[in-house]
Amino acid sequence: MNLTERSAFIKKTALELGFSHCGISKAGFLSEEAPRLERWLKEGRHGKMSYMERYFDKRLNPEKLVEGAKSVVSLLLNYYPAEEKPFQEVKISRYAYGKDYHGVIKEKLRVLHTKLEERIGKIDGRAFTDSAPVMDKAWARRSGLGWVGRNTNLITKNAGSYFFIAELILDIELQADAPVADHCGSCRACLEACPTGALTNAYEIDASKCISYLTIELKDRIPPEFSEKMEGWVFGCDSCQEVCPWNRFSRPHSEPAFLGTPPLTPREWEELTEEVFVRRFSESPLSRAGLKKLQNTVTFAAG
């Protein structure tokens, strides 16, 4: 198979496995992102996510992750729900409605890799979905899947931004796609909608102010200055995506694993035991925060 045939086969197979989009870029050092990441870390915009300071070189160079890496295959998996949850006082991000996406995506990537080897031959590579030092949005942008908007999310024209991003870093040559233009224009809707002012006009985020960070990554109690800014969010936040004009093109996903369970009220969260939490949410992204953190956040968000 030549480069064109290989690349077409990968994209066709990815779509058959349920991925929404697939793009390809040439593996190489992310020279444009390097100074931005270094400055962002020095300014402490990562909050207490100390792991962001590690593996700096690996984040920027795929050859540090896969020896002889030649191509990065970027994939998107839609998680936009068919039905919105009737949240009132307690809200969770749409990506957490169903099962933890890591296992769902890793299995799809495993099958994709296997099918490629069956057709092309032995391929060395690794699969990633935000569980390793890979700048997924940068690679998705390079692969022509969209642009990184002012809300710092990858936005895909006529499809929106409710997607998980994954990669296959491979040691084979493939036909690279071209990046697309930025279509945010003069829109500032996400900046104005962010409850905590975490977004800047420079297409950057101060993660230490982001509700997703405060409700998931931050292990300490949420600082009191955010007590009136949570807007009911207790696990993640979709405020910047809800106002994005491009998300009017979002379409419901077709992944059974992402079908969610009914939301809980503040009273139900308060009375939830560890045993029931584990039984009900062991396969959910909510398990990452843990019951104690969630209960504290629910109380905090409810004022």
Side-chain angles (χ1 to χ4, degrees), residues 19-290:
F19 286 105
S20 314
H21 301 76
C22 178
I24 299 169
S25 52
K26 183 178 180 180
F29 184 73
L30 294 172
S31 56
E32 183 180 339
E33 286 77 11
R36 294 179 183 174
L37 177 60
E38 184 176 21
R39 176 176 54 80
W40 188 78
L41 291 169
K42 285 183 176 179
E43 291 175 353
R45 302 289 185 93
H46 59 308
K48 294 188 177 181
M49 295 184 289
S50 58
Y51 63 84
M52 293 291 297
E53 302 168 17
R54 300 192 291 269
Y55 309 117
F56 185 82
D57 290 342
K58 288 185 178 181
R59 294 184 189 281
L60 298 165
N61 188 353
E63 292 185 13
K64 299 287 185 179
L65 295 167
V66 174
E67 186 176 355
K70 292 183 174 63
S71 303
V72 179
V73 179
S74 293
L75 306 114
L76 304 183
L77 185 61
N78 181 19
Y79 66 82
Y80 188 73
E83 295 182 4
E84 295 289 352
K85 298 301 175 185
F87 294 118
Q88 296 177 1
E89 306 103 315
V90 174
K91 298 187 289 186
I92 65 172
S93 178
R94 291 166 177 79
Y95 87 83
Y97 281 8
K99 289 185 178 180
D100 191 312
Y101 60 94
H102 292 92
V104 176
I105 294 177
K106 279 293 182 70
E107 177 59 20
K108 291 181 183 293
L109 293 176
R110 184 193 66 78
V111 175
L112 176 57
H113 195 164
T114 299
K115 288 182 176 292
L116 295 182
E117 289 194 318
E118 290 173 352
R119 185 68 177 269
I120 298 172
K122 175 64 177 175
I123 302 172
D124 286 330
R126 291 179 63 186
F128 302 93
T129 174
D130 87 358
S131 56
V134 178
M135 299 188 70
D136 51 7
K137 287 180 284 189
W139 288 113
R141 182 185 67 81
R142 284 194 171 202
S143 299
L145 297 184
W147 70 96
V148 179
R150 282 196 174 89
N151 60 5
T152 72
N153 288 311
L154 182 82
I155 303 174
T156 301
K157 193 174 183 180
N158 299 328
S161 62
Y162 290 105
F163 295 99
F164 297 118
I165 306 176
E167 299 83 30
L168 279 178
I169 299 180
L170 306 173
D171 69 342
I172 59 172
E173 295 279 0
L174 295 170
Q175 187 173 19
D177 295 298
V180 299
D182 182 322
H183 293 282
C184 281
S186 60
C187 179
R188 294 172 52 86
C190 58
L191 277 68
E192 295 168 359
C194 180
T196 58
L199 298 172
T200 73
N201 198 44
Y203 288 72
E204 291 185 351
I205 186 169
D206 185 340
S208 67
K209 296 180 180 179
C210 178
I211 289 178
S212 289
Y213 165 81
L214 297 172
T215 58
I216 303 172
E217 299 286 351
L218 182 64
K219 305 309 176 187
D220 303 330
R221 287 187 177 272
I222 300 174
E225 58 263 32
F226 296 105
S227 62
E228 297 182 2
K229 300 179 180 180
M230 302 298 289
E231 296 189 351
W233 294 105
V234 300
F235 188 89
C237 177
D238 289 337
S239 294
C240 65
Q241 297 195 87
E242 289 175 342
V243 299
C244 178
W246 290 104
N247 276 327
R248 70 184 184 274
F249 297 111
S250 297
R251 296 293 179 267
H253 68 76
S254 58
E255 176 54 61
F258 296 158
L259 298 177
T261 56
L264 301 181
T265 66
R267 179 66 177 273
E268 288 172 321
W269 274 113
E270 180 183 342
E271 297 176 348
L272 201 63
T273 65
E274 186 69 36
E275 180 183 2
V276 175
F277 177 77
V278 171
R279 185 168 67 245
R280 186 166 181 176
F281 296 106
S282 62
E283 295 184 333
S284 163
L286 275 70
S287 63
R288 182 179 176 187

